[in-house]
Amino acid sequence: MKHLLIPGLLALLLALGFVSLLAGTVWLLPAHVIAALIDPTPDLAQLVITEVRLPRMVLALLVGGVLGLSGAVLQGLLRNPLAEPGLLGVSSGASLGAVIAIYYGFAAAFTLATPLFALAGALATIGVAMGLSRTGGTLSLILAGVAVSTIAGAGVSLALNLAPSPFAAYEIMTWLMGSLSDRSWDHVQLAGPFIGLGMILLALTAPALDALALGERQAESLGVNIRRTRLLALFGTALGVGAATAVTGAIAFVGLVAPHLVRALVGHRPGATLLPATLVGAAIVLAADIATRLLRLGPDLKLGVVIAVIGAPFFLWLIVHIRRTGP
């Protein structure tokens, strides 16, 4: 079963990616998609696929992948099954940065102001959390993250409360719900390098996570540098998740759920969870993005809303299932 996990997830992503190129307001035939990918001659179908649906699919894979990977790393680092990027305030910090860009009009003056401010907010948040917990342990880091996340959330609420116009409030609320609509190659080029660098830093923690499962003292006795591992995990999360949130808005539950879906299949080894959790996270976001295009319930559904509606009950079921089947 283990040796089929990665090939099976890659096949699932390939199928979802192909459906993502087909699906939309106007469905395209598979022949059109294949022709557009191999023939550079511009026509309407080729432009729709290469300039609209392909960057959206790539962004969904990157965002979902880094959310799943960061969730797996943080759960291993903190030895807490409820850990995810939002627990350390990364998502809240990015949201506050984006809200500042929208609230003060930077977003209207400069197209990429919102993602740039969001990325800066994520990095600032994780920097403050690390500074507050510098001399403490894991519990201190979690508490610092919760405190910073709460402050950032209060800042977002204050901005909504004092919004200068209903339009500004609506724009902030729409961004907070998360979406991949109207994303282009510019967004991929902005977020891609940060997400890639963040994923590399997160992947480097894999050997240390297996040792950390025994406890920090035991891990140190095995030669694990706890401080280096923590810095890799936190900076990787800030870069990757901050960049992802910057271009899509806040998306919850992916980093929380994805590691749980694969943990039992890899023998509960934290280091072995990273790659499958990355692929599962990418599949979740890509499938949810397809759903936002297919479900017609009036106004357009937002990506963060779809994932939350499906992810929250599923995670509740998962907790009950673990309690029933656990030792």
Side-chain angles (χ1 to χ4, degrees):
M1 183 64 183
K2 289 181 182 178
H3 65 281
L4 294 177
L5 179 60
I6 301 302
L9 290 175
L10 289 174
L12 174 63
L13 281 178
L14 187 63
L16 288 173
F18 195 67
V19 173
S20 176
L21 296 178
L22 296 174
T25 305
V26 177
W27 277 79
L28 297 175
L29 296 174
H32 290 156
V33 174
I34 295 172
L37 293 177
I38 62 177
D39 184 4
T41 304
D43 57 24
L44 182 58
Q46 199 265 352
L47 289 175
V48 168
I49 291 171
T50 59
E51 299 300 325
V52 178
R53 297 184 183 176
L54 194 56
R56 184 170 179 164
M57 182 196 73
V58 172
L59 211 51
L61 293 174
L62 290 173
V63 170
V66 76
L67 288 173
L69 176 60
S70 60
V73 170
L74 291 178
Q75 288 177 15
L77 176 72
L78 303 176
R79 299 190 299 283
N80 186 333
L82 298 180
E84 61 143 356
L87 183 67
L88 299 180
V90 177
S91 302
S92 299
S95 298
L96 180 59
V99 167
I100 290 173
I102 297 171
Y103 188 85
Y104 288 103
F106 295 108
F110 177 44
T111 306
L112 297 178
T114 301
L116 288 174
F117 271 70
L119 183 58
L123 291 172
T125 302
I126 204 70
V128 172
M130 290 177 62
L132 292 174
S133 61
R134 186 175 50 186
T135 58
T138 299
L139 179 60
S140 176
L141 178 61
I142 293 175
L143 292 176
V146 171
V148 174
S149 178
T150 304
I151 293 172
V156 172
S157 299
L158 182 63
L160 278 171
N161 193 180
L162 301 178
S165 67
F167 175 76
Y170 175 77
E171 190 176 2
I172 292 172
M173 285 298 300
T174 301
W175 189 89
L176 289 174
M177 285 188 284
S179 176
L180 283 169
S181 299
D182 303 323
R183 300 311 190 262
S184 65
W185 288 114
D186 288 340
H187 293 89
V188 176
Q189 292 173 0
L190 173 67
F194 292 103
I195 293 177
L197 179 58
M199 294 179 81
I200 291 172
L201 295 178
L202 291 168
L204 291 175
T205 65
L209 295 181
D210 288 339
L212 272 172
L214 303 173
E216 291 191 0
R217 290 186 178 180
Q218 288 78 2
E220 286 179 324
S221 69
L222 294 173
V224 173
N225 187 326
I226 302 295
R227 178 177 172 78
R228 174 181 176 274
T229 303
R230 181 184 292 188
L231 287 175
L232 287 174
L234 297 185
F235 275 119
T237 300
L239 285 174
V241 177
T245 308
V247 294
T248 63
I251 297 176
F253 287 106
V254 177
L256 190 64
V257 172
H260 286 283
L261 292 177
V262 298
R263 184 162 290 124
L265 300 176
V266 296
H268 297 275
R269 270 187 55 215
T273 306
L274 303 192
L275 178 57
T278 303
L279 299 178
V280 169
I284 290 173
V285 173
L286 191 54
D289 183 50
I290 294 171
T292 63
R293 287 179 262 173
L294 299 183
L295 298 175
R296 297 299 177 191
L297 304 175
D300 289 343
L301 285 172
K302 298 299 181 185
L303 179 63
V305 176
V306 172
I307 292 178
V309 168
I310 299 174
F314 180 81
F315 188 64
L316 183 62
W317 171 85
L318 194 61
I319 291 174
V320 174
H321 176 73
I322 291 174
R323 286 188 57 187
R324 287 179 177 173
T325 58

